[in-house]
Amino acid sequence: MAKIIDKDAVVEDSWQLLAKDFTGPLPSGDLLLPLNYWLDNRDTAAAHDGKIGLWIDSDEEVEGLADDANQFPVIAVNFPAFTDGRGFSTGRLLRERYSFQGQLRAVGQVIRDQLFFLRRCGFDAFQLREGYDLEDALNSLCDFSVRYQPAVDQPLPLFRRR
């Protein structure tokens, strides 16, 4: 079973991420469905015997999900390349505008150097690309001890905290 970073620990991952072009009957278990599949097949997804979460690609708008976000225990945001920063904005929108309370997971080409900043945008789970030591990556969440700017993880700027 694959492992991810969830909050401040390395844990087993029970979720299966289905391909963006997935069609056909849903496999058993906990599934991360592509956003478009869920939008087109809500009834099929609701009848599934396991847990249902979503994953959103970098070129998809979260506005289509909007107020339905909190019905999912997990929403994953895909980073197709480590240079594609659109997922950071998606994470902030889900947390700040749509008040998403579940697990917000970064997937795809996620690298260690991004984890601290992803957490600032509201992500609390990370599925790193192949070849990364998860324990080492977990330590990167503490790379910086002081945060000057406000963000999802610390809404007050430093001068307001003094």
Side-chain angles (χ1 to χ4, degrees), residues 4-156:
I4 63 167
I5 295 174
D6 184 8
K7 294 183 181 53
D8 294 318
V10 175
V11 300
E12 298 285 330
D13 181 25
S14 67
W15 293 85
Q16 178 183 353
L17 190 142
L18 299 183
K20 190 170 185 173
D21 59 354
F22 175 80
T23 59
L26 294 175
S28 61
D30 300 337
L31 303 176
L32 291 173
L33 301 176
L35 176 62
N36 285 333
Y37 180 90
W38 178 76
L39 290 171
D40 295 339
N41 302 283
R42 291 178 193 216
D43 294 335
T44 303
H48 180 64
D49 60 353
K51 294 181 204 166
I52 294 291
L54 293 182
W55 72 271
I56 301 169
D57 214 347
S58 63
D59 62 347
E60 295 176 318
E61 302 289 332
V62 295
E63 286 77 4
L65 179 58
D67 297 326
D68 291 329
N70 274 310
Q71 76 180 26
F72 301 102
V74 177
I75 295 180
V77 178
N78 184 40
F79 289 79
F82 78 91
T83 57
D84 187 341
R86 294 176 287 183
F88 288 89
S89 299
T90 300
R92 285 201 71 169
L93 282 171
L94 285 167
R95 290 289 192 210
E96 294 178 337
R97 185 177 295 169
Y98 301 116
S99 302
F100 178 63
Q101 299 299 309
Q103 181 190 86
L104 185 57
R105 182 185 295 197
V107 300
Q109 298 300 307
V110 178
I111 61 173
R112 178 196 190 280
D113 295 350
Q114 296 171 317
L115 299 189
F116 178 84
F117 302 104
L118 286 164
R119 166 119 351 129
R120 304 248 31 230
C121 292
F123 288 87
D124 55 3
F126 313 96
Q127 181 180 334
L128 276 67
R129 65 188 209 188
E130 288 291 319
Y132 276 92
D133 178 350
L134 292 180
E135 292 296 335
D136 179 56
L138 184 60
N139 293 331
S140 75
L141 294 172
C142 301
D143 279 351
F144 304 99
S145 61
V146 177
R147 299 159 184 88
Y148 294 102
Q149 304 86 358
V152 173
D153 68 340
Q154 177 50 264
L156 293 175

